[in-house]
Amino acid sequence: MQIENDVIQQKIILGSRQSGKTTELIKACANQGGCIVCLNQIAGREIERRAREMNIEIPLIITHDDFIHRHYQYPRGIKQFWIDDANELIRRLSALPIAGMAFDTTDYPALILRDYDKR
């Protein structure tokens, strides 16, 4: 992810369970900076554990609930979020099932799609 002219070029990581999506997210966060938003506190502890094993320090890990309700204060200089289990986050915003999603790449021409199931 690169920031050019205050526009963040987003990265979408696709894959099935246990395919390395969260590990890739941890690496991207370490390389590009930011905070990780995860499902819950248990997931947050797991991300912290994995990051420690990779000798990576993540400045802040918050839950989906904290993110939705803006119950966080991020360290100075943090300019972006890395969202783990984004489909769950979106699902929590609706009382009905989400039948589909469309992503607009107009402002993000360098959107990177990787399907980690096809390694």
XYZ file of all heavy atoms in Angstrom, residues 54-89:
315
model
N 7.042 -13.280 14.296
C 7.650 -12.738 13.077
C 8.575 -11.557 13.391
O 9.079 -10.909 12.476
C 6.536 -12.284 12.119
C 5.617 -13.409 11.693
S 4.036 -12.830 10.990
C 4.573 -11.971 9.535
N 8.783 -11.279 14.704
C 9.583 -10.133 15.140
C 9.047 -8.819 14.590
O 9.805 -7.957 14.144
C 11.057 -10.309 14.779
C 11.691 -11.434 15.550
O 11.465 -11.582 16.741
N 12.474 -12.247 14.857
N 7.721 -8.685 14.618
C 7.046 -7.489 14.127
C 6.272 -6.874 15.285
O 5.616 -7.578 16.049
C 6.077 -7.844 12.971
C 6.861 -8.287 11.737
C 5.154 -6.677 12.652
C 5.991 -8.812 10.607
N 6.356 -5.552 15.392
C 5.580 -4.841 16.402
C 4.466 -4.069 15.707
O 4.714 -3.253 14.827
C 6.459 -3.868 17.171
C 5.723 -3.198 18.303
C 6.621 -2.271 19.098
O 7.821 -2.542 19.180
O 6.091 -1.283 19.620
N 3.229 -4.344 16.091
C 2.063 -3.627 15.570
C 1.690 -2.589 16.632
O 1.444 -2.953 17.783
C 0.883 -4.595 15.317
C 1.283 -5.740 14.375
C -0.326 -3.833 14.778
C 1.716 -5.339 12.998
N 1.646 -1.290 16.276
C 1.421 -0.262 17.288
C 0.058 -0.318 17.973
O -0.059 0.050 19.130
C 1.584 1.046 16.527
C 1.454 0.707 15.098
C 1.838 -0.725 14.954
N -0.961 -0.783 17.263
C -2.296 -0.832 17.854
C -3.128 -1.886 17.140
O -3.119 -1.965 15.910
C -2.982 0.531 17.735
C -4.394 0.647 18.322
C -4.355 0.499 19.845
C -5.012 1.983 17.951
N -3.816 -2.696 17.928
C -4.770 -3.673 17.403
C -6.083 -3.398 18.113
O -6.140 -3.380 19.347
C -4.308 -5.121 17.649
C -2.955 -5.367 16.977
C -5.364 -6.111 17.161
C -2.324 -6.706 17.313
N -7.140 -3.161 17.335
C -8.458 -2.900 17.920
C -9.471 -3.889 17.348
O -9.236 -4.504 16.310
C -8.924 -1.446 17.682
C -9.098 -1.165 16.186
C -7.972 -0.463 18.330
C -9.733 0.185 15.885
N -10.603 -4.006 18.023
C -11.653 -4.930 17.582
C -12.607 -4.242 16.604
O -12.655 -3.016 16.533
C -12.465 -5.459 18.771
O -13.190 -4.368 19.342
C -11.581 -6.122 19.813
N -13.381 -5.062 15.891
C -14.416 -4.526 15.003
C -15.354 -3.608 15.781
O -15.719 -2.536 15.302
C -15.221 -5.657 14.362
C -14.475 -6.407 13.310
N -15.032 -7.477 12.646
C -13.245 -6.261 12.771
C -14.176 -7.951 11.766
N -13.074 -7.228 11.830
N -15.761 -4.030 16.987
C -16.660 -3.205 17.809
C -16.046 -1.841 18.100
O -16.707 -0.810 17.971
C -16.988 -3.888 19.143
C -18.168 -4.831 19.062
O -18.935 -4.743 18.078
O -18.321 -5.651 19.976
N -14.787 -1.846 18.512
C -14.113 -0.576 18.797
C -14.057 0.296 17.544
O -14.250 1.508 17.618
C -12.693 -0.813 19.311
C -12.670 -1.447 20.683
O -13.665 -1.299 21.433
O -11.665 -2.101 21.020
N -13.812 -0.312 16.412
C -13.724 0.413 15.142
C -15.082 1.024 14.772
O -15.176 2.204 14.452
C -13.242 -0.536 14.047
C -13.045 0.114 12.709
C -11.954 0.936 12.465
C -13.946 -0.114 11.686
C -11.765 1.530 11.222
C -13.767 0.468 10.439
C -12.668 1.295 10.210
N -16.131 0.208 14.850
C -17.478 0.665 14.492
C -17.907 1.835 15.369
O -18.467 2.816 14.893
C -18.495 -0.496 14.607
C -18.253 -1.520 13.487
C -19.936 0.017 14.565
C -18.991 -2.839 13.691
N -17.637 1.730 16.666
C -18.078 2.749 17.621
C -17.015 3.825 17.893
O -17.227 4.683 18.742
C -18.523 2.089 18.926
C -19.645 1.121 18.737
N -20.920 1.527 18.389
C -19.685 -0.225 18.810
C -21.696 0.447 18.265
N -20.969 -0.617 18.513
N -15.909 3.734 17.176
C -14.780 4.682 17.324
C -14.281 4.769 18.768
O -13.982 5.850 19.266
C -15.142 6.056 16.787
C -15.371 6.026 15.304
C -15.656 7.399 14.771
N -15.842 7.295 13.321
C -15.333 8.149 12.469
N -14.637 9.173 12.884
N -15.549 7.993 11.188
N -14.182 3.615 19.401
C -13.665 3.542 20.771
C -12.176 3.231 20.726
O -11.733 2.157 21.132
C -14.388 2.463 21.573
C -15.813 2.772 21.821
N -16.733 1.808 22.116
C -16.506 3.938 21.799
C -17.923 2.357 22.277
N -17.806 3.649 22.092
N -11.402 4.141 20.225
C -9.963 3.948 20.147
C -9.284 5.305 20.030
O -9.887 6.288 19.627
C -9.583 3.074 18.951
C -10.070 3.621 17.625
C -9.338 4.579 16.932
C -11.275 3.195 17.081
C -9.800 5.099 15.734
C -11.742 3.705 15.879
C -10.995 4.654 15.207
O -11.453 5.167 14.023
N -8.041 5.313 20.397
C -7.161 6.452 20.156
C -5.916 5.861 19.533
O -5.245 5.040 20.157
C -6.808 7.171 21.444
C -7.974 7.913 22.052
C -7.548 8.688 23.286
O -6.552 8.391 23.913
N -8.332 9.694 23.626
N -5.626 6.260 18.319
C -4.466 5.681 17.666
C -3.245 6.566 17.869
O -3.354 7.777 18.025
C -4.713 5.410 16.186
C -5.377 6.518 15.419
C -4.630 7.550 14.867
C -6.761 6.532 15.245
C -5.234 8.568 14.162
C -7.371 7.549 14.537
C -6.604 8.557 13.997
O -7.207 9.554 13.298
N -2.079 5.927 17.897
C -0.840 6.679 18.121
C -0.615 7.736 17.043
O -1.053 7.575 15.904
C 0.247 5.607 18.053
C -0.451 4.321 18.292
C -1.841 4.500 17.770
N 0.070 8.782 17.411
C 0.401 9.856 16.476
C 1.126 9.298 15.255
O 1.954 8.408 15.374
C 1.323 10.835 17.179
C 1.005 12.203 16.840
C 1.900 13.195 17.499
N 1.189 14.419 17.322
C 0.850 15.247 18.250
N 1.228 15.023 19.466
N 0.173 16.318 17.994
N 0.797 9.792 14.097
C 1.461 9.357 12.876
C 0.769 8.205 12.162
O 1.089 7.903 11.023
N -0.174 7.555 12.821
C -0.901 6.460 12.187
C -1.914 7.069 11.230
O -2.720 7.905 11.613
C -1.621 5.573 13.227
C -0.608 4.918 14.171
C -2.497 4.529 12.542
C 0.331 3.932 13.534
N -1.880 6.623 9.965
C -2.750 7.220 8.956
C -3.646 6.219 8.245
O -4.347 6.569 7.311
C -1.899 7.952 7.916
C -1.140 9.122 8.499
C -0.351 9.842 7.451
C 0.385 11.005 8.078
N 1.212 11.716 7.126
N -3.593 4.950 8.672
C -4.396 3.958 7.953
C -4.703 2.757 8.835
O -4.046 2.525 9.833
C -3.669 3.506 6.690
C -2.285 2.943 6.946
C -1.455 2.873 5.690
O -1.856 3.305 4.631
N -0.273 2.317 5.793
N -5.743 2.048 8.429
C -6.162 0.823 9.107
C -5.994 -0.365 8.165
O -6.165 -0.233 6.953
C -7.644 0.899 9.511
C -7.919 1.860 10.622
C -8.480 3.099 10.369
C -7.634 1.524 11.941
C -8.754 3.995 11.395
C -7.905 2.408 12.976
C -8.462 3.639 12.695
N -5.698 -1.494 8.744
C -5.652 -2.781 8.038
C -6.743 -3.634 8.673
O -6.681 -3.924 9.868
C -4.276 -3.422 8.206
C -3.196 -2.598 7.590
C -2.509 -1.570 8.175
C -2.709 -2.708 6.265
N -1.619 -1.043 7.289
C -1.711 -1.724 6.107
C -3.012 -3.542 5.185
C -1.008 -1.551 4.920
C -2.311 -3.374 4.005
C -1.328 -2.387 3.883
N -7.755 -4.003 7.909
C -8.924 -4.681 8.469
C -8.874 -6.169 8.174
O -8.895 -6.592 7.021
C -10.226 -4.044 7.946
C -10.256 -2.573 8.356
C -11.438 -4.803 8.490
C -11.448 -1.808 7.886
N -8.808 -6.955 9.239
C -8.837 -8.412 9.139
C -10.296 -8.856 9.206
O -11.107 -8.251 9.910
C -8.034 -9.015 10.295
C -7.677 -10.470 10.073
O -7.537 -10.894 8.913
O -7.528 -11.193 11.083
N -10.632 -9.896 8.487
C -12.014 -10.409 8.449
C -12.999 -9.299 8.092
O -14.029 -9.101 8.756
C -12.398 -11.059 9.786
C -11.595 -12.313 10.083
O -11.392 -13.108 9.140
O -11.172 -12.500 11.233
N -12.693 -8.568 7.013
C -13.525 -7.431 6.584
C -14.951 -7.861 6.267
O -15.898 -7.103 6.524
C -12.899 -6.750 5.369
N -15.124 -9.063 5.737
C -16.478 -9.535 5.436
C -17.327 -9.626 6.706
O -18.512 -9.298 6.700
C -16.445 -10.875 4.698
C -15.646 -11.936 5.437
O -14.615 -11.636 6.058
N -16.081 -13.175 5.361
N -16.714 -10.016 7.823
C -17.441 -10.070 9.096
C -17.781 -8.671 9.586
O -18.866 -8.438 10.114
C -16.625 -10.806 10.158
C -16.596 -12.296 9.990
C -17.977 -12.925 10.087
O -18.789 -12.491 10.932
O -18.246 -13.839 9.312
N -16.869 -7.750 9.399
C -17.121 -6.366 9.799
C -18.317 -5.799 9.030
O -19.227 -5.224 9.623
C -15.882 -5.502 9.551
C -16.021 -4.016 9.850
C -16.312 -3.770 11.325
C -14.770 -3.280 9.422
